[in-house]
Amino acid sequence: MDAPLIDPFQRPVTYLRVSVTDRCDFRCSYCMSEDMTFLPKRQLLTLEELDTVSTAFVRLGLRKLRVTGGEPLVRRGIMTYFAAMARHLESGALDELTLTTNGSQLHRFAGELAGLGVRRVNISLDTLDEAKFARITRWGRLPQVMRGIEAAQAEGLRVKINAVALKGFNEDELFDMVEWCAARDMDLTFIEVMPMGDMGSADRIEQYWPLADLRAQLATRYRLTDLAESTGGPARYVRLEETGQKVGFITPLTHNFCESCNRVRLTCTGELYMCLGQEDRADLRPSLREPTAPPLEDAIRAAIARKPKGHDFDYSRQQVAGQMPRHMSHTGG
Ligand code: SAM
Ligand code: SF4
């Protein structure tokens, strides 16, 4: 392995999230507008190019790779990319290959993913109510996602449910969701809604359900024990003593998690974002396509040397500061 990637704040970069497509078969209202225009296919990195960039990161000390999007499982041929990454699992170069998915296609791919060495999958699910699910995802259907969850568990994949905490939408389902996950031996993580994409800041503040409130509600029914573990990301975990399950809180807005950040994000067009909450990015495409451009590993090192200290999201004055114009599906959640 070459010298590992260390950023200017002495944080090792060992975790890459790869958005393999900006497309999706859902239109979750907090993530996309209904009439999204997607990128022309020719602008996307090919599966081979995704492999080349990811493999360069592995050579530079990457230990964990998460595939996301858009909806990763709607990208045609995506299993070729998973198979390519599986070779790094087999060689021991990579510790973990995972994905974040809306679950809609999981019934088709769970077996293959498990066969390739994927052990865990994050599935996004904000409500257990069919009508509410159709409303929030606009195009999604709950029974199909349930089928995907069952398929994943049947294949032995460990499932974690990710739910965006939305005021006035799923507040009333807090305990139902906790118990539903506990009954199926699934961990559960709540995410604070983030100011991504321009869907109107007024809406964002109305939707914003601070996880400190959510946690306080949980504490009315369960004993919560803080867990020290951290994945180097924005999630903090507690154990519910009564159910034994782990509940996570992703709170980029109320707490600053940047000091331990170990990750960068690759978009489906080959841009590397060194921080989810900043606009600075490095275009790696020339290094893949133009013979006169700097070699890929040099371009990656130059980008990591610019990784900022942190983000600037702030809802504290009842206005959204630090709002990012791009959608979450572009950079990958
Ligand atoms: N389509 C896949 C899925 O939904 O799991 C992967 C991509 S999605 C962008 C990744 C995660 O980002 C999902 O859990 C989704 O709920 C979350 N997300 C999307 N927009 C968000 C926002 N504005 N604030 C907080 N989380 C958001
Ligand atoms: Fe699609 Fe995931 Fe965004 Fe929902 S959150 S629209 S499933 S990319």
Side-chain angles (χ1 to χ4, degrees):
M1 192 184 85
D2 302 342
L5 295 171
I6 310 273
D7 81 357
F9 304 95
Q10 300 310 311
R11 297 170 297 193
V13 174
T14 54
Y15 180 8
L16 178 68
R17 299 170 75 103
V18 181
S19 174
V20 294
T21 176
D22 63 331
R23 288 167 198 254
C24 187
D25 51 350
F26 291 3
R27 291 290 181 279
C28 303
S29 62
Y30 48 76
C31 177
M32 292 190 181
S33 59
E34 190 148 23
D35 57 347
M36 287 288 286
T37 24
F38 294 110
L39 296 164
K41 291 217 171 90
R42 64 179 185 288
Q43 282 192 23
L44 300 194
L45 295 191
T46 63
L47 294 170
E48 292 75 19
E49 287 171 329
L50 285 169
D51 177 0
T52 303
V53 177
S54 311
T55 299
F57 269 95
V58 171
R59 267 199 309 276
L60 297 173
L62 193 78
R63 301 306 310 177
K64 177 169 172 181
L65 195 150
R66 177 175 296 280
V67 183
T68 176
E71 174 46 43
L73 298 181
V74 301
R75 169 121 192 210
R76 189 175 308 184
I78 192 61
M79 285 302 134
T80 311
Y81 173 69
F82 275 100
M85 294 304 102
R87 76 183 189 274
H88 299 310
L89 284 178
E90 274 161 35
S91 75
L94 198 61
D95 295 330
E96 191 171 36
L97 175 61
T98 53
L99 72 154
T100 301
T101 173
N102 65 24
S104 69
Q105 307 303 316
L106 211 45
H107 59 283
R108 293 164 56 203
F109 294 118
E112 216 172 321
L113 289 167
L116 288 170
V118 173
R119 295 282 162 262
R120 298 192 304 149
V121 52
N122 287 0
I123 303 176
S124 304
L125 181 67
D126 305 324
T127 172
L128 297 170
D129 179 283
E130 238 180 285
K132 280 164 79 177
F133 187 84
R135 183 146 50 90
I136 196 82
T137 63
R138 295 201 187 98
W139 295 5
R141 297 296 169 260
L142 186 61
Q144 192 176 338
V145 172
M146 292 298 176
R147 219 174 124 201
I149 293 173
E150 280 161 26
Q153 289 201 302
E155 293 295 343
L157 295 174
R158 179 106 194 116
V159 173
K160 179 160 76 83
I161 299 294
N162 281 344
V164 178
L166 294 164
K167 199 172 188 161
F169 178 76
N170 53 12
E171 276 174 296
D172 57 336
E173 290 188 74
L174 175 62
F175 296 121
D176 289 348
M177 289 195 67
V178 167
E179 275 152 33
W180 185 82
C181 288
R184 287 160 186 77
D185 189 26
M186 300 188 297
D187 292 323
L188 172 62
T189 292
F190 291 100
I191 311 176
E192 257 172 15
V193 72
M194 284 181 261
M196 309 294 291
D198 63 351
M199 274 159 292
S201 52
D203 288 359
R204 284 316 157 99
I205 290 163
E206 273 163 34
Q207 286 182 328
Y208 178 48
W209 178 16
L211 293 192
D213 288 5
L214 187 153
R215 189 190 154 116
Q217 283 191 41
L218 271 184
T220 63
R221 191 173 294 190
Y222 303 104
R223 275 176 302 133
L224 313 184
T225 305
D226 284 309
L227 299 176
E229 75 187 79
S230 157
T231 55
R236 293 291 171 267
Y237 296 95
V238 295
R239 184 168 304 288
L240 305 190
E241 293 306 333
E242 288 77 2
T243 64
Q245 98 211 88
K246 221 166 67 174
V247 174
F249 306 97
I250 301 187
T251 55
L253 303 167
T254 45
H255 290 284
N256 205 308
F257 51 87
C258 304
E259 64 282 355
S260 59
C261 181
N262 60 356
R263 61 198 58 198
V264 289
R265 295 174 158 83
L266 181 71
T267 70
C268 54
T269 56
E271 288 179 315
L272 190 70
Y273 280 83
M274 286 70 82
C275 172
L276 180 64
Q278 301 283 357
E279 273 303 275
D280 186 32
R281 61 211 184 251
D283 188 359
L284 301 181
R285 229 174 354 181
S287 298
L288 291 164
R289 295 187 180 172
E290 294 163 20
T292 54
L296 184 56
E297 290 188 11
D298 294 357
I300 293 173
R301 284 194 189 283
I304 299 302
R306 305 208 304 262
K307 186 166 159 61
K309 197 167 180 194
H311 66 73
D312 300 319
F313 292 146
D314 183 8
Y315 282 143
S316 57
R317 292 199 202 106
Q318 288 300 297
Q319 57 183 1
V320 181
Q323 174 146 2
M324 289 292 103
R326 60 184 195 274
H327 290 263
M328 194 78 149
S329 52
H330 182 64
T331 347

